[in-house]
Amino acid sequence: MSTKKKSLSIWLILVSGMLTGMGNGSVFGATLMCLMGRGGFSNWGGFAWTAYDPSTFTGFIDQAMIVFGIAFCGILYVGLNRHYKLESGAA
């Protein structure tokens, strides 16, 4: 595989993995909001850096979205590597 193709697949992994993963993380956050409300979070945290503080409700959801995004990037990386090995072996 050429270097150009590898760099293009890295962008594919990063963009589509983060997009899909963070989308699923937001669904996870909406489900939490429906099930528990703000629960034990004393602050909803939607202003400036508190939006990323995991001790606030919004910060917890944002952190979950980032974790889901990174996890999906890992899943795509493994999947595309296995696909490449299957395709290069068949050729």
Side-chain angles (χ1 to χ4, degrees):
M1 185 181 229
S2 72
T3 306
K4 183 167 176 74
K5 288 184 180 180
K6 283 184 181 178
S7 67
L8 290 176
S9 66
I10 288 183
W11 283 110
L12 174 72
I13 289 169
L14 288 175
V15 171
S16 59
M18 289 302 285
L19 185 67
T20 304
M22 290 183 81
N24 286 336
S26 69
V27 172
F28 171 75
T31 303
L32 275 180
M33 190 183 307
C34 289
L35 291 176
M36 69 180 222
R38 255 184 28 199
F41 296 99
S42 60
N43 185 0
W44 75 279
F47 181 72
W49 292 108
T50 59
Y52 298 99
D53 180 8
S55 66
T56 65
F57 182 75
T58 304
F60 176 74
I61 299 306
D62 288 346
Q63 294 293 327
M65 288 171 56
I66 292 169
V67 168
F68 273 64
I70 292 169
F72 270 76
C73 285
I75 291 168
L76 272 175
Y77 178 76
V78 169
L80 286 176
N81 275 338
R82 288 185 180 180
H83 176 73
Y84 173 70
K85 287 177 185 174
L86 286 172
E87 287 294 320
S88 63

